[in-house]
Amino acid sequence: MVLNSSTRGEKLPSAKLTAVQYGVLLMMLALLAGLWRLQVIGADSFRVLAEQNRIRKVPILAPRGKLFDRENRLIVDNYPSVSCFLVREQGRNVDADLPLIARGLDLDLDQLRATLRRYRSAPGYQPIPIKQEVTPDEQAFIAAHAGELPELETIDQERRLYPRDGYAAHLIGYVGEVSEDMLNDPRYAAYEPGDVVGKAGEEESYDQLLRGEDGSRDVVVDSRGREVGYLRTQHAIPGQDLRLTIDNDLQRAAELALGDRSGAIVAMDPRNGEILALVSRPSFNPNDFAVRIDRTAWNKLITDPDHPLLDKVIQAQLAPGSTFKILMSVAGLEEGLAQNLHVFCNGGANFYGHFYHCDEKHGSVDIHNAIPMSCDTFYYTLADKLGIDRISKYATEFGYGQKTGIDLPGEQAGLMPSAQWVMKNYHRKWYAGETISVGIGQGAIEATPIQLARIIGGIASGGHMVRPHVVFPDQLPEDFRHALQDSFPGTGQTYIPLDPDAWMTITDGMAEVTEPGLYHTAGSAHLEGIDLAGKTGTAQVMSHEALDRTSKGRSTFPNAWFVGVTPRRNPELVVTVLWQNGEFSFYPARIGAAVVAAYVEKQRRLAHNLPAVQANTAPATPAKPAEVGVLWSQPEVKNGKTVARIHAGHYFVNPPVSAPATSTSARLHRSGATTALPGQIAVALPVSKVQTP
């Protein structure tokens, strides 16, 4: 019998059938799990990704807070600007577009590529700033190429507008793009590449308050990255405005008084530490940093031998010269040594086998005339009797060799030598002969102008020492105020009681310094009707033997100091003047007197009490002709029209031996003119006519 193959049934083994069924089931479960993960678990993340393809977050940059002076007059403002950013969320290769972008935005192609490499590790959603201060022509280029270059975006931004001519530049500081080194610092953890940050002065100290909080705008874009609408806006929070303690009128007077001389001026209220004026020369233009300073300008600033970026008020560490004799007088009187000390000055004295020079032969000197005469021989002797340990004790107590705690970045501590300091740093003992030089503010001792203002102002205030500051504390949140003191440690505010008799002796001696008289070091800075007290100082930068003016030039001249207070006891103003390589200390004394006169004149004007402020500009010694530059306008007829033509003159003036109130020099002072310093050309304006920025 033959079987039909078509009817033959082939039965699948049950084991194989079971395996196939389970395989299909596992595949279905895997598909269901994948759908669950995509549609349920990952729904939020994929929704965000989808939104990012449709919605672009455009940053709204917060404007920085403005800066005002103590009378609410605007100092630092903002102005509108446009910046160009590159957005990397378009899913295209932007490297191929870089040559066109560089040509259209007037950028260096290599620099543009370096910028992109710098941001390569940044998140893709973060825009890259490639051009600041975009011109109208460049904005037109971006708009015209929106289809070809959808990665280019423009953002409105407010930039800093600083006063011209470097006005208060070191006090205000400047802003710039945050650097890579700063981003690695925990203090700047909240910043991102491209952010603008304060880099000097108050811009740096109060950056946290000034910068505000950026906002954003959610923009709807099409598949080519073009805007088609917007969803929501998170507004930026502007930075806090700050009122500085400086007085624009006094600041301008101080800047005019110092002129182009290399040095510094600081004026402070010793009752509370408010800085009324701060000038450092040479200066710089903060507006150069408001956008982005080019490499050539930056290299010029950092290689300048006069260091224009150095704030000499808080960073110039120099020997204080004879201004240190005020501290020596305090130490000598408090220790009971100076009251009965009498020396005969014959041009110097011998100590430990070496002859120490004095500038003059003063004859018989005691503590009452040692300060106005600034007799080195007297203070050599006093230093030898005190010894370095007692000198260092009093100097350290009053703040030498320590930061003051002023709210400006980069303050230096100076140096106060001692036997312990020498052993620690040089592993040797202190030689007694070294004490002699320290007694007149020479040797290893170093101080900054702000230190001298605090110390001399504190001594004249009976030992009440203050912490200098340039922003009114009542504007600061309490937690920020405490953090600020931790960030700027220093001697701060303290009280060091002084013997009343010693205090009277020292302040009377300082008042004699500015009185006309034989050997008085600042008699030419005398101000009629103003109780001006102070102390001059010169500090050699080289020894007497090495000083060769014919070959070394002015850089070897001594640094000249003046610290003045008004009135002599419990003063309301202290002024420190440093003129580097100024040679003679009566020069900065006259500069300081001009600042004091400006302050007193304004206070009298505000009080409606305006007696004439007269300055005796006659030197105590026979006067030499003074070189004077003068500008004036004179009407002339040109082409039938009367026009004013500016003229300049160069003269030598022989000032009188004395300058009574009725003399020509006194009348010139009242009309606003001043006698120029020898070797200088100066044109002075009356303080009441000085224009603020």
Side-chain angles (χ1 to χ4, degrees):
M1 182 176 70
V2 179
L3 295 175
N4 189 346
S5 60
S6 62
T7 61
R8 190 190 322 175
E10 295 183 0
K11 186 176 181 179
L12 188 67
S14 60
K16 291 184 177 180
L17 180 60
T18 301
V20 170
Q21 290 174 342
Y22 277 110
V24 172
L25 178 61
L26 290 174
M27 291 176 61
M28 293 298 295
L29 290 175
L31 290 173
L32 290 173
L35 290 173
W36 179 268
R37 181 177 59 84
L38 291 173
Q39 297 185 10
V40 179
I41 298 178
D44 291 338
S45 61
F46 286 106
R47 186 181 299 110
V48 171
L49 292 175
E51 288 293 319
Q52 288 180 347
N53 288 331
R54 185 176 68 93
I55 301 173
R56 179 183 303 161
K57 190 174 289 292
V58 178
I60 301 176
L61 305 181
R64 287 181 75 84
K66 301 177 182 180
L67 299 179
F68 298 83
D69 87 329
R70 65 187 299 111
E71 298 178 6
N72 286 315
R73 290 173 290 188
L74 184 63
I75 300 177
V76 178
D77 200 356
N78 300 312
Y79 70 94
S81 174
V82 177
S83 297
C84 181
F85 287 75
L86 189 145
V87 181
R88 295 170 291 172
E89 297 179 291
Q90 304 300 327
R92 56 185 288 140
N93 181 17
V94 298
D95 292 339
D97 297 333
L98 295 184
L100 176 60
I101 294 174
R103 288 195 301 271
L105 299 181
D106 192 24
L107 295 170
D108 180 82
L109 181 58
D110 293 336
Q111 185 65 36
L112 179 59
R113 287 172 173 160
T115 301
L116 264 62
R117 285 195 299 270
R118 176 185 172 192
Y119 286 86
R120 196 171 300 279
S121 60
Y125 60 82
Q126 180 179 323
I128 301 176
I130 60 175
K131 181 64 182 286
Q132 300 173 336
E133 206 77 5
V134 175
T135 65
D137 289 344
E138 292 165 348
Q139 293 183 51
F141 165 81
I142 295 172
H145 293 77
E148 301 172 68
L149 304 172
E151 64 267 28
L152 293 185
E153 289 283 351
T154 58
I155 297 178
D156 293 332
Q157 187 175 7
E158 291 196 7
R159 298 197 180 278
R160 276 313 213 200
L161 181 61
Y162 294 104
R164 295 176 297 174
D165 304 323
Y167 176 87
H170 294 88
L171 183 146
I172 297 169
Y174 59 89
V175 296
E177 185 178 337
V178 64
S179 65
E180 293 185 24
D181 292 338
M182 296 171 71
L183 291 173
N184 295 327
D185 190 325
R187 294 180 301 169
Y188 298 93
Y191 293 81
E192 296 179 350
D195 284 350
V196 172
V197 61
K199 289 196 170 184
E202 292 310 288
E203 292 278 25
E204 179 178 342
S205 298
Y206 294 90
D207 182 72
Q208 182 180 341
L209 299 180
L210 291 169
R211 71 186 302 256
E213 296 182 17
D214 294 340
S216 62
R217 186 164 57 98
D218 293 340
V219 178
V220 181
V221 297
D222 60 15
S223 60
R224 302 189 64 180
R226 294 174 298 191
E227 293 186 14
V228 295
Y230 70 92
L231 296 179
R232 66 187 68 86
T233 299
Q234 180 181 351
H235 296 286
I237 301 176
Q240 178 182 333
D241 295 339
L242 290 178
R243 188 164 62 96
L244 306 182
T245 61
I246 68 168
D247 184 325
N248 264 352
D249 297 324
L250 197 63
Q251 177 72 24
R252 179 57 66 189
E255 300 220 7
L256 288 174
L258 189 59
D260 294 330
R261 305 172 183 90
S262 179
I265 295 179
V266 58
M268 183 182 76
D269 187 336
R271 298 170 296 183
N272 50 33
E274 295 173 2
I275 300 298
L276 303 179
L278 188 151
V279 184
S280 180
R281 287 287 187 271
S283 187
F284 61 94
N285 186 359
N287 292 295
D288 293 340
F289 297 86
V291 180
R292 177 179 291 175
I293 190 168
D294 62 80
R295 187 175 300 274
T296 301
W298 173 251
N299 289 334
K300 183 178 179 181
L301 284 173
I302 62 177
T303 58
D304 191 323
D306 291 327
H307 308 293
L309 293 178
L310 181 74
D311 185 352
K312 294 180 179 178
V313 171
I314 63 173
Q315 295 176 320
Q317 303 177 94
L318 302 169
S322 293
T323 61
F324 189 70
K325 293 172 182 175
I326 300 301
L327 187 280
M328 288 292 299
S329 300
V330 171
L333 290 169
E334 291 291 330
E335 290 292 324
L337 297 175
Q339 287 87 340
N340 300 316
L341 180 61
H342 298 268
V343 301
F344 186 84
C345 175
N346 194 28
N350 281 292
F351 296 92
Y352 306 103
H354 181 77
F355 185 78
Y356 291 83
H357 292 270
C358 185
D359 290 338
E360 302 285 349
K361 296 181 180 180
H362 296 104
S364 180
V365 182
D366 59 16
I367 187 61
H368 299 286
N369 58 8
I371 293 177
M373 289 183 176
S374 193
C375 178
D376 290 345
T377 305
F378 180 88
Y379 287 99
Y380 291 149
T381 308
L382 181 58
D384 188 46
K385 291 182 177 296
L386 283 168
I388 189 60
D389 289 336
R390 282 195 285 189
I391 295 174
S392 179
K393 169 183 173 294
Y394 280 93
T396 303
E397 190 175 22
F398 277 91
Y400 281 98
Q402 302 170 76
K403 296 179 180 180
T404 65
I406 188 173
D407 51 343
L408 287 172
E411 183 188 9
Q412 299 300 308
L415 175 63
M416 184 60 220
S418 65
Q420 183 180 4
W421 171 80
V422 166
M423 181 60 68
K424 179 180 178 181
N425 291 277
Y426 297 99
H427 308 290
R428 65 170 178 84
K429 68 175 185 178
W430 178 270
Y431 298 111
E434 296 176 281
T435 307
I436 308 303
S437 296
V438 171
I440 61 167
Q442 296 276 184
I445 184 173
E446 294 178 348
T448 62
I450 189 63
Q451 283 179 329
L452 293 182
R454 177 180 180 271
I455 293 168
I456 303 302
I459 292 173
S461 300
H464 293 273
M465 314 294 292
V466 296
R467 178 191 291 270
H469 57 275
V470 297
V471 172
F472 287 102
D474 59 4
Q475 297 184 88
L476 309 176
E478 185 176 355
D479 57 341
F480 186 89
R481 187 163 60 247
H482 292 312
L484 193 71
Q485 293 184 1
D486 294 336
S487 301
F488 298 98
T491 48
Q493 189 159 336
T494 185
Y495 173 63
I496 306 170
L498 295 178
D499 178 77
D501 291 337
W503 179 49
M504 298 279 285
T505 299
I506 292 170
T507 51
D508 286 343
M510 292 171 60
E512 286 293 318
V513 169
T514 61
E515 291 292 333
L518 185 63
Y519 301 133
H520 289 191
T521 57
S524 61
H526 176 69
L527 296 173
E528 286 293 336
I530 296 178
D531 185 17
L532 173 61
K535 186 68 189 77
T536 58
T538 55
Q540 295 178 5
V541 294
M542 300 183 70
S543 65
H544 282 287
E545 293 76 15
L547 187 60
D548 182 359
R549 300 179 183 178
T550 58
S551 60
K552 300 294 184 181
R554 193 172 188 87
S555 62
T556 60
F557 285 11
N559 296 323
W561 292 91
F562 176 74
V563 185
V565 297
T566 184
R568 73 184 72 181
R569 283 186 277 274
N570 297 319
E572 58 188 68
L573 180 72
V574 56
V575 177
T576 299
V577 180
L578 165 66
W579 185 1
Q580 287 189 282
N581 309 122
E583 189 173 11
F584 298 115
S585 58
F586 59 82
Y587 290 163
R590 295 175 182 177
I591 295 173
V595 177
V596 171
Y599 172 82
V600 172
E601 180 180 321
K602 179 173 181 177
Q603 299 306 310
R604 291 176 176 175
R605 185 171 67 251
L606 294 175
H608 306 289
N609 179 18
L610 286 173
V613 177
Q614 301 169 3
N616 178 9
T617 57
T621 54
K624 296 180 180 179
E627 187 178 3
V628 179
V630 179
L631 294 175
W632 70 91
S633 61
Q634 179 176 332
E636 294 184 3
V637 178
K638 187 176 182 180
N639 298 328
K641 296 182 179 180
T642 301
V643 296
R645 187 178 182 88
I646 302 298
H647 297 265
H650 198 196
Y651 302 95
F652 286 87
V653 178
N654 289 308
V657 175
S658 60
T662 56
S663 68
T664 303
S665 62
R667 292 195 301 272
L668 283 175
H669 181 81
R670 286 195 294 271
S671 66
T674 62
T675 302
L677 302 178
Q680 302 292 319
I681 296 178
V683 178
L685 298 174
V687 175
S688 58
K689 294 184 180 180
V690 172
Q691 298 296 317
T692 56

